[in-house]
Amino acid sequence: MIVDSILVAAGQGERFGGAGPKQLQRIGGRPMWRWSHLAFTAAPSVRRCLVIVPAEWSDEFSSIDAKNIVVGGATRTASVKAGLAALSAAPVPPEAVLIHDAARPGLTQAVISRVTDALSTHSAAAPALPVVDALKRRASTGELVQTLETVSREGLHRVQTPQGFHWKTIMAALGATGSSTSLVDDLAAVETLGAQVKLVEGDPRNDKITFHDDLARLEMLMGLKDQATGPAIRMGKGFDVHAFEPGQHVTLCGVDVPHTARLKGHSDADVAWHALTDAILGALALGDIGDHFPPSDPQWKGAPSNTFLSAAAEMATKQGYAIANLDITIICEAPKVKPHRSAMREATATLLGLKASQVSVKATTTEGLGFTGRGEGIAAEAIVVLARA
């Protein structure tokens, strides 16, 4: 099943308070919206993440590929419909879509998987948590007198996002709504169609940030508070090597570069991002890529290296660090790296939520010496600077 995602980040956040829109507030060293964006881009089941942004703040999302940015509408429902329209214009529209609020930065891979898996048997699905607190309805009978009525919590759930839908189901549901309609969530649209909705297990870390005080609470739930203090700056260096084998391209910094061979490895053998992953882990004194993603584990066979790099960056964030800048050097005689260098910088910056000015990618040769000089493979080294967020 082809699954795309829509990250709704165009709201005004009127109840949030504080300076600026809540989706741009930094949590754990990253803008709030970036957490969910990284979760979707690292999810193997998700083909694409489309971000719905407000027109006046679009520069804040400049690290995203322009084709994955859509300007939102006056209401959340209008923004979702704008995202669906953009996905429908793709050469191959998705078969299902996950719609998520950027104000829920605690999205995990487990929640994404549970929602996606549920769509194999149901036309709609959403994560939810049962209501466990006592519920009371308050009614005022006078200026000073209030009465309370106990409300049964049987069968009641707090519904989270991402909410997943078969493509035809959500298009039919939202297509029937007016341009000014503002639904409480996207499930409200499909409920009127009698669609089969599956509620899967949610996660307390996936709670929504509504008020400014919620920031500290979510940081605690996400494990981003009360981390051990450390130096203001940490540096790490990584080095990796992969040999050539028959193929038609090599993957370097997430970019497929045409070549007469490919790189041999248990994963996708992106030697540059492997070196960068090791640099981040080294800066944190957390071992190397083999410790966390051993090649003996079959689950990593053919895995995209963005999975490893995103995980290392998240480890840095959980220790209270953000990437200040990084420098990657690719060592080979061929293929030529320079024509693809800008794309490599952009891909790396996008994945890590950085500006291109924080990412350096360059290449060199060994003047025909050694295994790289003989054209037997490619080496890469990377240096990263982490700054306490």
Side-chain angles (χ1 to χ4, degrees):
M1 180 183 294
I2 300 175
V3 180
D4 287 343
S5 61
I6 293 176
L7 180 60
V8 185
Q12 299 294 322
E14 295 175 353
R15 291 178 292 175
F16 179 70
K22 64 182 177 183
Q23 59 267 47
L24 300 183
Q25 298 295 311
R26 298 190 78 81
I27 178 169
R30 290 186 182 132
M32 189 186 303
W33 67 270
R34 182 62 175 157
W35 285 93
S36 298
H37 184 257
L38 285 172
F40 279 129
T41 55
S45 60
V46 177
R47 178 181 67 171
R48 177 184 182 189
C49 181
L50 197 68
V51 184
I52 314 300
V53 307
E56 61 271 30
W57 303 320
S58 58
D59 287 348
E60 301 288 345
F61 301 87
S62 59
S63 61
I64 306 173
D65 191 325
K67 70 174 183 286
N68 289 324
I69 293 181
V70 172
V71 174
T75 66
R76 184 187 183 281
T77 302
S79 292
V80 170
K81 292 174 76 170
L84 292 172
L87 291 179
S88 67
V92 180
E95 298 169 89
V97 62
L98 306 181
I99 304 174
H100 185 64
D101 295 324
R104 296 182 184 271
L107 178 62
T108 64
Q109 295 296 314
V111 168
I112 293 174
S113 294
R114 287 196 286 267
V115 174
T116 304
D117 290 347
L119 292 177
S120 64
T121 55
H122 292 73
S123 56
L129 294 172
V131 173
V132 296
D133 294 320
L135 293 177
K136 305 288 183 179
R137 179 181 290 113
R138 184 177 63 186
S140 177
T141 57
E143 184 176 348
L144 299 177
V145 180
Q146 293 182 340
T147 61
L148 295 179
E149 175 190 358
T150 299
V151 179
S152 173
R153 63 193 179 203
E154 184 69 25
L156 295 182
H157 290 77
R158 295 191 292 118
V159 178
Q160 303 176 323
T161 64
Q163 295 176 359
F165 307 91
H166 288 182
W167 181 252
K168 292 181 180 179
T169 299
I170 190 63
M171 291 298 285
L174 287 183
T177 63
S179 59
S180 61
T181 301
S182 181
L183 300 172
V184 64
D185 66 0
D186 304 297
L187 283 181
V190 304
E191 288 164 4
T192 60
L193 300 180
Q196 292 183 330
V197 180
K198 173 71 171 179
L199 294 183
V200 300
E201 181 186 354
D203 192 318
R205 293 170 293 181
N206 195 30
D207 276 354
K208 185 177 181 181
I209 292 179
T210 301
F211 305 103
H212 197 273
D213 290 345
D214 293 336
L215 283 173
R217 179 176 60 84
L218 258 295
E219 284 186 326
M220 291 288 289
L221 286 173
M222 293 169 65
L224 303 177
K225 281 285 190 182
D226 293 335
Q227 301 293 336
T229 58
I233 297 291
R234 303 187 73 138
M235 297 180 64
K237 181 179 180 179
F239 181 80
D240 196 35
V241 170
H242 282 278
F244 285 131
E245 65 178 10
Q248 297 181 331
H249 73 267
V250 297
T251 301
L252 297 171
C253 292
V255 177
D256 290 343
V257 178
H259 190 46
T260 56
R262 69 177 184 179
L263 292 174
K264 182 179 181 180
H266 188 65
S267 65
D268 66 357
D270 189 330
V271 65
W273 274 2
H274 287 187
L276 180 56
T277 300
D278 262 355
I280 296 172
L281 293 173
L284 299 170
L286 292 177
D288 59 32
I289 192 171
D291 294 326
H292 298 270
F293 308 99
S296 58
D297 191 333
Q299 70 171 309
W300 306 123
K301 184 171 180 60
S305 295
N306 60 5
T307 301
F308 312 144
L309 185 53
S310 294
E314 187 169 349
M315 293 177 202
T317 299
K318 287 185 175 180
Q319 290 201 22
Y321 289 95
I323 297 174
N325 69 289
L326 61 92
D327 184 19
I328 300 171
T329 301
I330 299 170
I331 307 166
C332 62
E333 298 293 327
K336 294 298 183 183
V337 171
K338 189 172 182 179
H340 309 278
R341 192 167 57 186
S342 294
M344 294 177 188
R345 292 180 64 201
E346 289 293 337
T348 305
T350 297
L351 181 67
L352 297 174
L354 304 174
K355 296 179 179 178
S357 59
Q358 295 173 276
V359 176
S360 168
V361 175
K362 57 187 187 294
T364 189
T365 71
T366 55
E367 302 294 336
L369 301 176
F371 80 93
T372 58
R374 294 189 297 270
E376 297 172 1
I378 297 179
E381 65 176 7
I383 296 175
V384 67
V385 176
L386 304 182
R388 182 159 290 284

